[in-house]
Amino acid sequence: MIFSEKLQLLRKNKGLTQEEMAERLNVSRQAVAKWESGQVYPDISNLIQISDLLNVTVDYLVRDQKCMINISSDAKTDLDKLIDFRLEANINTYAACMNETTSTRLDSHDFQYTNGPFTYHDTYVGGEQFAGEEAIWQDGKAVYAMNYLGRVLGENFSGNFLKEALRKADKNMPYRGPEYYQSGEYLYKCKVVGDFTWFQGYEEIYCNEVKVFECYFHGGLIR
């Protein structure tokens, strides 16, 4: 999506009219209408206000998802291959209700996926409040791990929506889910500090603007 499309979608999800958004940003309704039609672009001060109001990053607002993919040679680095495998494993385990395996700990839920030299294992305990770890091995050696701790905050939480959002992870956000994903009344958001080698993050889900889920996570390469 481009900026104008994102702005309109985020505004409507927030339940704001163009007039209400304009009032909160201290601009005219015509300015908001022009932003959403793509006629003009807000200046940096307005972008910062918009990001604060809609609770998304300026980076998410201004960058076209297609432009966020770096152009590189066909030869992939080891890190590229690891990220590709993590994304592949993600859509073949918990997020897709596939490849559940024998518990490795008392009362744990485990998922495992292997392709070539890589093996992925995810194990967690709990339900509405849970904790777990996912790890990747290459040729039998641990190369990546990520720990997570989360909880359900509202009765309108949808596990199916969480899985749907997690399946939308891509090379730009290969940690849990995408920075922003919406389907119907549900909204998923994820923020990360760092990169795949060493990172900390936080994800949350809203239902009709009410937070119903949150999860903290951190991880990186193992050596």
Side-chain angles (χ1 to χ4, degrees):
M1 288 188 294
I2 60 176
F3 170 78
S4 57
E5 295 171 336
K6 292 178 183 178
L7 180 61
Q8 186 176 54
L9 179 63
L10 290 165
R11 172 181 62 78
K12 290 181 177 179
N13 181 72
K14 196 76 172 177
L16 297 173
T17 64
Q18 288 185 341
E19 290 83 356
E20 290 169 333
M21 172 174 274
E23 183 178 350
R24 295 199 187 187
L25 297 175
N26 196 29
V27 298
S28 67
R29 187 200 65 79
Q30 289 78 9
V32 175
K34 288 181 179 180
W35 296 340
E36 292 188 354
S37 66
Q39 296 179 48
V40 296
Y41 204 79
D43 61 26
I44 186 61
S45 61
N46 283 324
L47 278 173
I48 293 172
Q49 291 186 77
I50 292 169
S51 70
D52 289 340
L53 175 62
L54 301 178
N55 196 24
V56 295
T57 63
V58 172
D59 186 67
Y60 172 78
L61 287 171
V62 302
R63 297 181 71 184
D64 185 344
Q65 188 72 17
K66 293 181 180 179
C67 294
M68 293 175 70
I69 301 175
N70 294 326
I71 298 174
S72 59
S73 65
D74 292 336
K76 293 185 177 180
T77 66
D78 289 342
L79 184 59
D80 290 330
K81 294 175 183 178
L82 179 59
I83 291 174
D84 285 345
F85 175 74
R86 195 275 163 193
L87 292 170
E88 179 182 323
N90 182 54
I91 59 174
N92 282 280
T93 51
Y94 170 80
C97 300
M98 296 171 60
N99 291 306
E100 188 163 6
T101 188
T102 305
S103 297
T104 57
R105 299 177 292 175
L106 291 176
D107 197 31
S108 69
H109 305 273
D110 291 57
F111 298 83
Q112 186 166 304
Y113 177 77
T114 298
N115 188 2
F118 294 103
T119 294
Y120 167 95
H121 195 103
D122 178 24
T123 178
Y124 72 92
V125 292
E128 292 188 352
Q129 293 192 176
F130 60 90
E133 178 184 68
E134 63 176 43
I136 295 175
W137 290 259
Q138 182 176 6
D139 295 322
K141 181 180 179 181
V143 293
Y144 167 85
M146 186 264 285
N147 296 97
Y148 53 90
L149 176 70
R151 59 178 179 169
V152 174
L153 300 173
E155 60 182 15
N156 290 329
F157 168 74
S158 168
N160 287 334
F161 173 74
L162 171 60
K163 292 181 176 70
E164 181 180 337
L166 295 179
R167 293 196 299 270
K168 299 297 181 179
D170 58 28
K171 291 183 180 180
N172 301 301
M173 287 286 284
Y175 316 97
R176 287 280 291 174
E179 184 174 14
Y180 178 90
Y181 177 70
Q182 183 176 13
S183 179
E185 60 188 347
Y186 289 97
L187 171 65
Y188 171 95
K189 293 190 287 187
C190 184
K191 297 180 180 179
V192 172
V193 176
D195 59 29
F196 200 73
T197 65
W198 186 266
F199 62 87
Q200 301 83 42
Y202 176 70
E203 65 180 354
E204 53 192 337
I205 292 176
Y206 290 81
C207 179
N208 294 322
E209 297 192 60
V210 177
K211 187 187 294 187
V212 294
F213 172 85
E214 65 177 357
C215 179
Y216 292 88
F217 56 92
H218 60 265
L221 300 185
I222 302 298
R223 61 183 181 184

